[in-house]
Amino acid sequence: MDFSHKKLALLFSSGSFNPPHIGHLSMFELARDYLNSHGYYVLGGIMSPVGDDYKKKKPTLTCSRHRIRMVDLSVTDYPFVKCSNWEANQKKWVPAKEALEEHLAALHKIVQDPDLQFKNHPYFPEIVKSLTMEQVTNSTKFKMFLVCGGDLLERISIENENEYIESMMKQFG
């Protein structure tokens, strides 16, 4: 598929997914439909469960192994959304912005060496193997968007300075 004249998007959601539910999946559908209607082609979506260290903030958190499995099962009927276990496998809790940056860096690795790196990052849609570095580093051609509910936005606004929030929103929508 020729993407040379389209704006491309990748959707990303970080959260506890304790448990994942239809609202989480609906966010991806709503974001995809909105972006498609505004000239984007949405490549896919990634759900990224937080790591077990987040239990300090949310004592009722189920272990990441179970939440990853629940997300995997929940996306079975949503082929454009996959589960990333990167964040869940970190020893320390990772803020959403840093998780987004890590996944964007992983995308760059895939574009540079699709045959090797895609195997290391199977939660990306396979279509990213056909992208160029020029496409994914040009903000007028590609954008990774944070998809989240009000609870995450509220937590980000409480825990961070305005400059951090502005930087995150500018970079990730």
Side-chain angles (χ1 to χ4, degrees):
M1 186 175 226
D2 179 23
F3 298 118
S4 58
H5 301 329
K6 295 183 185 237
K7 294 186 290 183
L8 304 175
L10 188 63
L11 307 177
F12 180 88
S13 185
S14 173
S16 62
F17 304 115
N18 191 51
H21 53 75
I22 195 68
H24 294 124
L25 298 168
S26 293
M27 284 190 314
F28 280 94
E29 290 179 333
L30 292 168
R32 178 187 61 189
D33 293 348
Y34 177 83
L35 290 170
N36 285 342
S37 72
H38 285 79
Y40 280 89
Y41 178 81
V42 177
L43 301 168
I46 298 171
M47 290 177 75
S48 180
V50 297
D52 292 336
D53 188 55
Y54 192 68
K55 195 170 183 97
K56 293 173 186 170
K57 293 181 182 241
K58 187 172 188 170
T60 60
L61 191 70
T62 302
C63 80
S64 60
R65 180 173 42 92
H66 295 304
R67 289 181 291 111
I68 289 169
R69 181 71 178 131
M70 287 189 285
V71 170
D72 281 336
L73 290 170
S74 72
V75 300
T76 302
D77 293 331
Y78 291 82
F80 79 102
V81 181
K82 294 184 179 180
C83 179
S84 167
N85 64 3
W86 178 85
E87 194 175 349
N89 289 332
Q90 302 308 301
K91 292 189 186 315
K92 295 280 186 183
W93 171 70
V94 179
K97 183 178 184 216
E98 283 76 4
L100 280 154
E101 290 168 341
E102 176 61 34
H103 283 80
L104 185 57
L107 175 62
H108 291 178
K109 289 178 185 176
I110 292 169
V111 170
Q112 290 172 339
D113 188 356
D115 294 329
L116 175 64
Q117 292 299 325
F118 188 76
K119 293 174 191 165
N120 296 332
H121 306 92
Y123 42 85
F124 281 94
E126 191 156 345
I127 200 164
V128 301
K129 294 193 299 187
S130 65
L131 301 178
T132 67
M133 189 56 80
E134 192 267 326
Q135 284 173 302
V136 299
T137 57
N138 183 334
S139 63
T140 63
K141 293 184 179 189
F142 174 83
K143 188 154 185 125
M144 183 179 280
F145 285 94
L146 172 64
V147 177
C148 67
D151 57 338
L152 179 61
L153 283 179
E154 181 180 24
R155 190 180 78 230
I156 290 170
S157 67
I158 290 170
E159 295 178 353
N160 297 284
E161 300 293 323
N162 285 342
E163 294 82 23
Y164 178 92
I165 296 166
E166 287 175 24
S167 166
M168 183 174 175
M169 293 301 122
K170 187 179 224 181
Q171 189 176 4
F172 299 109

